[in-house]
Amino acid sequence: MNLLIKNILSFLGIAILGLSGVANAQTTYSVGGSVSGLSAGKSVVLLNNGTNPRSVSSNGAFSFSTGLATGATYRVSVGIQPSGQLCSVANATGTVSGANVSSVSVTCASAYTVSGTISGLETSGLVLRLGTSSLLVASGATSFRFSTALLTGSPYAVTVGIQPSGYRCVVTNGTGTITSAAITNVSVSCQRTYTVSGTISGLTASGLVLSLNGANKIVSSGATTVSFASGLTTGTAYTVNIQSQPSGLTCLINNGSGSVSTANISDVIVNCAPTTYTIGGAVSGLNSSLSVTLVNNGSN
């Protein structure tokens, strides 16, 4: 009898556990919304919490394949933008609360690229910038295009982020506002630059400050050469000046001005020597027909 009771209880226990498992199965709810503005033939890939990709190729309602239980959070984002368009997500985040989520709104609009031409670039290292996007331009390139696309009404500004070594590149037509077409008229013109340098003698103290076309350079005591970092293009006039003399010395410049041709300037000469002062005064009472000879330190 006891064994029979145990068997019955065991059977009932299994049944209860089975029912409990059914009762504890969680109900899930879909997450979705609607897509608008997506051009025909285009598709956008959406993500929920960074996973569960959902490719949408037409306007209208959408939902992700994986549902979420009550209390779960969701975050809808664009995984892959449609070619030539930008899609933004509104009502992208929230918490599931006992019902399907259908309030996510994905709006797509045409977007346009910014591009242009490059001339004179014969080395690597040029970096162009468009907002926060950077583009490394290869040596010898004659054109460029940013991969970042911008919506109509967006302002744009193309700038030189990093100049290539030995060159100076200038951007024209680099700013404006996107209308309803790609920007293709940005122009980047690069020119070879040349340095200005020279020699220094007699610099035994600190305090010497030289300038090249107004840009100052502090020269250390004991230096025998000077080179300015700023490169100048062909035809640019240059002037090297002394902005501050070193303590107790007087420096003079030779070959300090000219015009850059197609070579580095290397013949600037800075000569420094101890500062000298005259010794003199006034003579009074000397008869006009007489003269007096004065001596300093037994000579001169």
Side-chain angles (χ1 to χ4, degrees), residues 8-28:
I8 293 173
L9 291 176
S10 177
F11 174 78
L12 292 176
I14 292 172
I16 292 170
L17 288 174
L19 292 173
S20 176
V22 173
N24 289 336
Q26 287 185 318
T27 301
T28 60

Side-chain angles (χ1 to χ4, degrees), residues 88-154:
S88 59
V89 184
N91 303 322
T93 62
T95 302
V96 175
S97 181
N100 294 331
V101 176
S102 59
S103 59
V104 179
S105 177
V106 180
T107 303
C108 302
S110 296
Y112 304 94
T113 57
V114 177
S115 63
T117 59
I118 301 175
S119 62
L121 183 62
E122 299 177 355
T123 188
S124 60
L126 171 63
V127 175
L128 298 177
R129 288 193 177 134
L130 174 65
T132 58
S133 298
S134 295
L135 177 64
L136 178 62
V137 182
S139 174
T142 57
S143 63
F144 71 93
R145 183 174 70 87
F146 287 94
S147 59
T148 301
L150 302 175
L151 297 173
T152 296
S154 299

Side-chain angles (χ1 to χ4, degrees), residues 111-210:
Y112 304 94
T113 57
V114 177
S115 63
T117 59
I118 301 175
S119 62
L121 183 62
E122 299 177 355
T123 188
S124 60
L126 171 63
V127 175
L128 298 177
R129 288 193 177 134
L130 174 65
T132 58
S133 298
S134 295
L135 177 64
L136 178 62
V137 182
S139 174
T142 57
S143 63
F144 71 93
R145 183 174 70 87
F146 287 94
S147 59
T148 301
L150 302 175
L151 297 173
T152 296
S154 299
Y156 66 90
V158 178
T159 59
V160 175
I162 300 176
Q163 294 282 6
S165 178
Y167 281 78
R168 176 171 297 167
C169 300
V170 178
V171 178
T172 56
N173 300 324
T175 60
T177 301
I178 301 293
T179 55
S180 57
I183 303 300
T184 60
N185 66 336
V186 180
S187 176
V188 180
S189 176
C190 300
Q191 283 185 283
R192 178 73 185 272
T193 60
Y194 302 93
T195 59
V196 176
S197 63
T199 59
I200 301 175
S201 63
L203 184 60
T204 58
S206 60
L208 175 62
V209 178
L210 301 176

Side-chain angles (χ1 to χ4, degrees), residues 287-298:
N287 191 302
S288 61
S289 62
L290 301 176
S291 65
V292 62
T293 298
L294 303 177
V295 176
N296 181 28
N297 292 331

Side-chain angles (χ1 to χ4, degrees), residues 50-70:
T51 61
N52 193 22
R54 173 73 162 87
S55 179
V56 180
S57 57
S58 62
N59 294 312
F62 77 92
S63 63
F64 291 96
S65 59
T66 301
L68 298 178
T70 294

